[in-house]
Amino acid sequence: TNLQVYRRGQEGAWQDVGPGEAFKEELGRNHLEQIVGNSATELYAAGRSGVIWWFDGHAWTAVRTDTKLSFLCATCGADGTVYLGGQCGVVATGRRGEFTIHTPEPPLDDIWGIAELDERIYLASLRALMTWTVDEGHQVVAPAMERAQTFYNLGRGPTTLWSLGSKDVLRFDGQAWERLDEVPVK
């Protein structure tokens, strides 16, 4: 938050690598919500007021967009494209200093989770799970919606997508959605 980003060093100490003081006067209200990266020399942070930051390993650059909506979640696609989801269903796509804003009509619920599996982008709001493409926009994932009523956060493993809602957990293996009512703890 407050334009702060920290990196943990090899010896375990945290080092401040955020945009920092130079930008606080102009963009001090731009609290960061998410950070993702393709490498240590290509990091992205996004948050309030539609500002996206990217880090080249040496300096942060603010990427101004044509939205004031906040970004709440982020992921990097297999091809290096950065995807951001946020308020009112907004999705931003891009890389480095160039991002395109995709705002749905009519505005949708806030996007809290975003992940890619098998070159497909998934979005989670509190009450819906969707896929997203530039051409088709937001499309509800009916099999997931039949198995759960709450969503919120998405996580992924090498071959699995997880949907974590306030009352529901789903696992997707690329073929079928499975609801988990109990999770064994070892």
Side-chain angles (χ1 to χ4, degrees):
T1 189
N2 293 326
L3 302 179
Q4 295 174 316
V5 175
Y6 294 89
R7 176 174 44 212
R8 189 168 182 177
Q10 292 179 353
E11 61 282 343
W14 289 94
Q15 175 188 9
D16 184 354
V17 297
E21 298 297 324
F23 295 99
K24 280 191 179 179
E25 185 173 324
E26 180 184 1
L27 298 167
R29 295 193 54 169
N30 184 253
H31 295 269
L32 302 176
E33 298 287 344
Q34 287 287 314
I35 186 166
V36 295
N38 288 312
S39 71
T41 59
E42 188 183 351
L43 298 176
Y44 298 88
R48 295 183 188 168
S49 304
V51 175
I52 302 164
W53 295 84
W54 83 277
F55 182 65
D56 65 5
H58 301 288
W60 287 90
T61 302
V63 179
R64 299 199 185 263
T65 64
D66 61 355
T67 185
K68 292 293 182 196
L69 296 171
S70 295
F71 296 113
L72 306 169
C73 54
T75 195
C76 292
D79 66 354
T81 301
V82 176
Y83 297 89
L84 305 167
Q87 287 181 313
C88 301
V90 68
V91 175
T93 60
R95 199 162 181 191
R96 296 184 179 88
E98 295 185 28
F99 280 79
T100 303
I101 304 300
H102 310 273
T103 306
E105 293 287 334
L108 300 175
D109 288 342
D110 296 347
I111 303 299
W112 292 96
I114 190 167
E116 180 190 54
L117 181 67
D118 297 331
E119 299 179 8
R120 190 158 209 176
I121 299 299
Y122 291 86
L123 308 173
S125 69
L126 294 179
R127 299 277 182 207
L129 187 72
M130 300 160 280
T131 58
W132 182 87
T133 65
V134 171
D135 295 331
E136 297 178 11
H138 302 69
Q139 300 291 315
V140 170
V141 180
M145 299 287 289
E146 292 167 3
R147 288 166 179 74
Q149 294 179 359
T150 61
F151 301 93
Y152 178 68
N153 197 3
L154 298 175
R156 69 164 290 216
T159 61
T160 306
L161 181 69
W162 295 86
S163 172
L164 308 169
S166 62
K167 297 182 181 194
D168 301 288
V169 175
L170 296 178
R171 177 174 50 205
F172 181 58
D173 64 4
Q175 301 298 315
W177 289 92
E178 175 187 9
R179 179 186 170 86
L180 298 165
D181 293 317
E182 293 182 13
V183 178
V185 178
K186 295 181 181 183

